[in-house]
Amino acid sequence: MIEHEDFLPYNLPDISDAEVDAVVETLRSGWLAPGRRAREFEAAFAAYTGAKHAVALDSATAGLHLALVALGVGPGDEVITTPTTFAATVNVIIHAGATPVLADIRIDDYCIDPAAVARAITPRTKAIMPVHHAGSACRMDEIGELARAHGVHLIADAAHAIGTEIAGRSVGAIGDAAVFSFYPTKNVTSGRGGMLTTDDDALAERCRLLALHGMSDDAWDRYTARGAWAYQVLAPGYNYAMSDYQAALGGAQFARIDAFQRARRRLAERYHARFAALPAIITPLERAGTTHAWHLYVIRLRRDLLAIGRDAFIDELRACGIGTSVHFIPIHHHPYYREAYGWAPGDFPAADEAFETMISLPLYTRMSVDTVDRVADAVEDVVRRHGFKGA
Ligand SMILES: *Cc1c(COP(=O)(O)O)cnc(C)c1O
């Protein structure tokens, strides 16, 4: 499409010299594998979320898969999740050998609807996997109550949710486990990586074992003063542990988490203010009593006020040099899942409506308030040109 000299991407990582130095120092240290730096990152993350344990992993996908396997979810079991998510959320259910079951979202916050979860529960349900979409807190009280009443596990896909809180509590301390992502587009990056948090001692221990091939002692313990060459394989595990060169970047990034979250909130608030007088644009909801992590700033278009569709709206913004994205193409729209599970577009009306009307606008810590204004000006201009009366 149109190449703009100052094309504005919808997302950019924010890497400081201190973070580059931390990685270089690790590369020169002689220890790149899972070790001390991963342990330090875990300790900092556990302290931040208030969870008893944090387990550093190679990706959030690995963490979600581990949580399911470690909790004994397997063939014959059903796992309930949302259609408005990334493929990984559903793929790990399939990799565990279980059957994914979708429950529709709420149109106000794009998170799974507890009422739809209640309808989807069967005697085969083994776990519920809500996704804190864009950093918006799911209704964990209601979902947790359902999980307890039916004796099923609650595993949160918290890939967007570093900074998401409910009643002042991190979502990392809610449910059986929560899994965060450090993919380059997320609020904190380790280049690639994830973190599983849990208060459950046995679950944390099982995840650590399975993350390093099922070996009784990890490599750090074996090759340092504490350990010897010996190990025992106690389970057929995976190669899912976070390496120290990843932890060096992730840990140094995480040291700036409060500044990151303040910057994101400031930009989101500027968007809110700019769109307050624009009825055609539905701004994201931060539910009372919750803290939004502002991983994404997702707007929706009011179809009744606009003569332009979502795709054309995105094209117009791109022509102005503004990058956007859509989170997400619903699970039930993809060929594989449609064929495997018999789903089709239209099956989950709120997820379908959100998909048809949502746009993720640029939001990242290196962005200035002036740049938010540039995006808001462009959105406003498209609305003025394509809006009906009152748009
Ligand atoms: C990014 C993302 C994941 C996967 O995270 P990785 O760390 O890349 O494995 C899972 N779920 C959601 C909702 C995501 O956005």
Side-chain angles (χ1 to χ4, degrees), residues 57-64 82 84-90 131-134 157-160 179-186 191-195 295-296 327-328:
L57 301 164
D58 189 38
S59 69
T61 305
L64 291 167
T82 166
T84 303
T85 189
F86 184 55
T89 319
V90 171
V131 177
H132 300 293
H133 184 272
D157 179 336
H160 298 181
V179 181
F180 298 84
S181 173
F182 308 123
Y183 191 76
T185 52
K186 303 291 160 60
R192 175 191 158 95
M195 194 74 79
H295 168 54
L296 303 170
H327 296 85
F328 293 91

Side-chain angles (χ1 to χ4, degrees), residues 140-275:
M140 296 303 274
D141 289 353
E142 291 165 69
I143 299 167
E145 231 162 79
L146 284 169
R148 269 188 303 280
H150 293 270
V152 306
H153 298 299
L154 180 54
I155 304 162
D157 179 336
H160 298 181
I162 301 173
T164 303
E165 295 175 349
I166 299 173
R169 216 163 140 231
S170 164
V171 292
I174 298 171
D176 290 279
V179 181
F180 298 84
S181 173
F182 308 123
Y183 191 76
T185 52
K186 303 291 160 60
N187 287 22
V188 167
T189 186
S190 60
R192 175 191 158 95
M195 194 74 79
L196 180 149
T197 55
T198 181
D199 286 336
D200 181 335
D201 298 344
L203 178 62
E205 194 182 326
R206 186 79 183 154
C207 286
R208 283 188 196 287
L209 181 86
L210 289 174
L212 217 63
H213 308 284
M215 296 192 303
S216 61
D217 271 309
D218 75 19
W220 176 250
D221 292 331
R222 279 189 289 117
Y223 290 115
T224 58
R226 279 182 59 191
W229 51 268
Y231 63 90
Q232 290 179 304
V233 174
L234 304 178
Y238 307 90
N239 186 5
Y240 278 174
M242 179 185 283
S243 290
D244 260 19
Y245 73 90
Q246 295 171 306
L249 175 54
Q253 279 260 294
F254 194 61
R256 292 199 286 150
I257 184 66
D258 292 339
F260 280 168
Q261 293 307 108
R262 269 197 305 276
R264 286 181 177 277
R265 174 163 297 272
R266 182 159 163 263
L267 299 172
E269 280 171 0
R270 183 66 177 186
Y271 273 131
H272 294 339
R274 288 294 313 264
F275 297 143

